[in-house]
Amino acid sequence: MRILVTGATGTLGRALVPVLLKAGHRVRALSRTRHEDRGGVEWVWGDLASGKGVAEAVRQVEAVAHLATGGRQGRAQVDLAGTRTLTAAARAAGASHVLLPSIAGADRAPGHRHKLEAERLVRESGMAWTVVRATPFHQSVDRLLRDLSALPVLPVDRSLLWQPVHVDDVAGRLAALLAGGPACAVVEYGGPQVLGTEELTRTWLDARRLRRLCLPVRIPGRLAAAQRAGAFTTEADPKGRITWHDYLFPPPPVPSDDFAEEHTASPTSPATQPERDPSVRVYGGDEGYQRPTRG
C-alpha cells in the first residue's frame, strides 16, 4: 500500500516511517523542504498551510497518515486549514483512508479546541477515517522534566496522573491500524502504566543521575484539574509495552543476524537526510503533554 505521511520529520513521523517500510508499504513523505528520495522513502514537496503541492502529494496514494501539526503558532493554518485541504485533495484523488493522531483527553481537558476541530474535519471529510488519541510520549515528559530541572527545586504535584507511552509503541499501533483499514472510530492508546508524579520524577532523577529537592505543590488551573481527574489516561487495550522505567533504563541492544538492518541508518535519521529547515518543527508532529498553566 502506498501511504502518504505528513509530519514525517517529527518525533512520531521519524518512528512511523521505518515501521511502514519494514511492513512492506511504499511511503511518500510530505515536506516543506525539498529532499532527495532515499532509504525507500519518496519525498514530495508541499505546504499544508498554503495548500501548494498537496494535490500532487496525494496522487495515487491509498492512505494518508496525517501527523503534521502546526504547534502553538500555526494551529489554524495546519491543524485546521491544512487538514481541510489535505482531506479534500485525498478524497478527490481516491485515497481510501485518513488516519489522524490526536491527544488523549482532547475531549475532556481544556486547551485542545484545535485538535477537536481537526478530528471533526477528518470525521466529516467524506473519507473513511481513524482518529488515534495517544497519551503523552515518554520523550515529551522527559523534555518537560529536563526543562523543570533547571529550577533550584523540582515542583512535584503528587495528585497528577501520568500514563506515558513510547513513540515506537505508538508508531506500531498506527501502522497496524493503517494495515487493518479504517476503523471509522476514535481509538485511544496509552502506555502500560499509570504513575503518580512523585514516582515518575524520582525515576527520572535516578536515570539522569541528578539530585534535586522535590517541593510538594498543588498546581492550580483547569488543565491540572483535568489531569488530576485522569483526563490524560486511558483504560483502552491494547496498551504500549515500553514502561517509563524501561525508557529511562533501556536494556542493551540484542545483536541482530541481519547485517543490513544493523548497519543501515533509519531512512528518517539525520544520517540519511539533507539539512533540515530550522522551522520544520512547525510540522513536527509532536503530540506531547503541555504543562499546566495557571488558570
Side-chain angles (χ1 to χ4, degrees), residues 38-166:
R38 61 178 69 198
V41 179
E42 177 192 357
W43 289 92
V44 295
W45 178 88
D47 187 342
L48 287 170
S50 68
K52 293 179 179 178
V54 174
E56 292 78 7
V58 297
R59 197 168 290 157
Q60 296 183 324
V61 302
E62 297 162 75
V64 176
H66 182 27
L67 278 52
T69 181
R72 295 187 179 185
Q73 301 302 318
R75 289 173 178 169
Q77 291 81 5
V78 179
D79 289 10
L80 303 186
T83 297
R84 187 181 293 110
T85 299
L86 178 67
T87 53
R91 180 184 178 186
S96 59
H97 184 192
V98 57
L99 180 146
L100 176 74
S102 187
I103 301 171
D107 58 337
R108 304 189 296 273
H112 299 301
R113 179 175 60 86
H114 286 85
K115 281 296 175 189
L116 287 175
E117 180 64 12
E119 290 183 14
R120 185 190 67 78
L121 290 171
V122 166
R123 292 196 309 270
E124 298 178 2
S125 65
M127 296 180 62
W129 57 276
T130 306
V131 169
V132 183
R133 291 179 181 164
T135 58
F137 295 162
H138 290 320
Q139 291 81 353
S140 301
V141 180
D142 190 359
R143 285 196 298 269
L144 174 65
L145 290 170
R146 187 169 65 244
D147 290 345
L148 290 174
S149 69
L151 300 172
V153 295
L154 206 56
V156 173
D157 186 336
R158 294 171 178 163
S159 66
L160 299 183
L161 299 175
W162 304 79
Q163 192 181 0
V165 65
H166 199 283

Side-chain angles (χ1 to χ4, degrees), residues 4-54:
L4 174 68
V5 179
T6 71
T9 57
T11 301
L12 182 54
R14 290 195 302 270
L16 177 61
V17 168
V19 176
L20 294 177
L21 291 172
K22 191 171 183 179
H25 299 293
R26 290 171 290 173
V27 175
R28 179 180 292 170
L30 178 69
S31 174
R32 291 182 306 146
T33 304
R34 299 189 185 276
H35 300 279
E36 294 180 2
D37 295 350
R38 61 178 69 198
V41 179
E42 177 192 357
W43 289 92
V44 295
W45 178 88
D47 187 342
L48 287 170
S50 68
K52 293 179 179 178
V54 174

Side-chain angles (χ1 to χ4, degrees), residues 247-272:
Y247 164 72
L248 294 171
F249 296 95
V254 177
S256 170
D257 292 331
D258 187 339
F259 179 89
E261 179 178 331
E262 201 166 300
H263 292 81
T264 303
S266 162
T268 54
S269 71
T272 57

